[in-house]
Amino acid sequence: MCATCGCSDDTGVRLTDLARPGPPPHDHSHGHDHDHPHGHGHDHTEPDTRTVALEVDLLAKNDDLAALNRQWLADRDVIALNLMSSPGSGKTTLLTRTIRDLGDELPCAVLEGDQETLLDAERIGATGARVVQINTGAGCHLDADMVAAGLSTLAPEPGSLLFVENVGNLVCPALFDLGEAGRVVIMSVTEGADKPLKYPHMFRTADLMLVNKVDLLPYVDFDVAACIAYGRRANPAVEVLEISATRGDGLDAWYGWLRRRVSLT
């Protein structure tokens, strides 16, 4: 049990490489993945009953693994971006369009996080991009260990852009460093404009806030200016772009942001 958020531990985590037909290459279990980027073991002793101490210990271990992921990626010149949002914000639609538009210029690969199904990974795989599905079972977020296992299966091309599509959730994913080079939080205008006030840590940790589905603004009650102001109240340095992944609004600015991240890293 994850003391930080209360979700199930990752004994039910499953990795599926969509480029390889048949059953998943392996169910990730701690200490038995010899191709893990930094093969490590885990202590399965009974957890400390002091919840706060356990939470600190859990996050510290995750941060240590994230640092190893970050070095593993840097050694291969792979730029990893952690995409986070609530469910239904349009992450997968944005990813598929981005890969189709930029794939010839910037080789892209994806680690796709969901509790169940291969649906989003199949949509991404249809673009021709390499993708590995990480199903978390009852888990509500990806962590650095899951990403390390995913990296060993995905084997992203050196010099590529790696998108990590996190589980749809505005709470726990913000707590877990995955070893990424940047964080993108995606809002949609079908959500409440006050999300940055309700979930400030998510926006506080983001490098970029995307306000998606602006093509629906004539049909919904959503105050874009207020949402952006709330986001910058949580994080004055956050960059903000207004986009429509379906109609194409603002995507040139999004692609420019991606190019800058690649050139600066």
Side-chain angles (χ1 to χ4, degrees):
M1 180 66 69
C2 171
T4 299
C5 63
C7 73
S8 170
D9 64 24
D10 67 354
T11 55
V13 171
R14 303 184 304 282
L15 301 182
T16 305
D17 183 350
L18 270 70
R20 301 175 185 174
H26 64 276
D27 285 351
H28 178 53
S29 57
H30 295 315
H32 299 286
D33 183 3
H34 298 293
D35 293 326
H36 195 284
H38 42 264
H40 55 273
H42 291 266
D43 183 1
H44 291 282
T45 57
E46 289 299 314
D48 193 318
T49 57
R50 294 170 297 171
T51 302
V52 173
L54 180 58
E55 289 174 353
V56 171
D57 184 53
L58 174 70
L59 290 173
K61 288 180 179 178
N62 182 83
D63 288 348
D64 289 343
L65 297 177
L68 293 174
N69 286 349
R70 188 167 283 110
Q71 187 60 55
W72 191 91
L73 291 162
D75 290 343
R76 292 157 179 81
D77 294 322
V78 175
I79 309 305
L81 298 176
N82 186 358
L83 273 57
M84 301 177 287
S85 75
S86 56
S89 68
K91 290 194 303 298
T92 307
T93 298
L94 177 62
L95 269 182
T96 56
R97 179 148 187 175
T98 299
I99 292 166
R100 287 192 171 102
D101 288 351
L102 289 187
D104 291 339
E105 174 188 344
L106 296 172
C108 298
V110 178
L111 291 178
E112 174 64 40
D114 278 307
Q115 289 190 324
E116 295 294 345
T117 82
L118 303 178
L119 294 174
D120 287 350
E122 288 169 346
R123 289 174 60 191
I124 291 164
T127 69
R130 289 276 292 116
V131 57
V132 164
Q133 176 74 57
I134 304 176
N135 287 125
T136 63
C140 61
H141 59 273
L142 297 178
D143 63 26
D145 193 26
M146 298 177 200
V147 167
L151 290 173
S152 69
T153 302
L154 182 66
E157 179 183 342
S160 63
L161 185 58
L162 172 66
F163 294 103
V164 181
E165 183 174 353
N166 220 311
V167 179
N169 181 353
L170 284 176
V171 182
C172 299
L175 299 173
F176 287 82
D177 184 3
L178 306 179
E180 67 269 36
R183 288 186 164 196
V184 179
V185 60
I186 303 170
M187 283 279 305
S188 76
V189 303
T190 55
E191 304 174 63
D194 58 357
K195 281 290 194 297
L197 296 180
K198 293 182 175 181
Y199 305 97
H201 190 66
M202 172 62 72
F203 294 85
R204 193 174 296 130
T205 64
D207 298 290
L208 176 67
M209 171 179 163
L210 295 178
V211 181
N212 191 23
K213 304 187 184 181
V214 296
D215 53 303
L216 298 180
L217 281 172
Y219 314 105
V220 296
D221 181 13
F222 186 91
D223 188 332
V224 174
C227 181
I228 294 172
Y230 297 151
R232 287 187 169 141
R233 184 184 301 182
N235 179 2
V238 71
E239 296 183 62
V240 181
L241 296 175
E242 299 172 38
I243 66 167
S244 167
T246 55
R247 196 170 65 185
D249 306 46
L251 291 187
D252 285 345
W254 160 238
Y255 299 156
W257 188 89
L258 292 174
R259 292 183 183 102
R260 289 192 298 276
R261 295 297 298 198
V262 170
S263 65
L264 290 174
T265 307

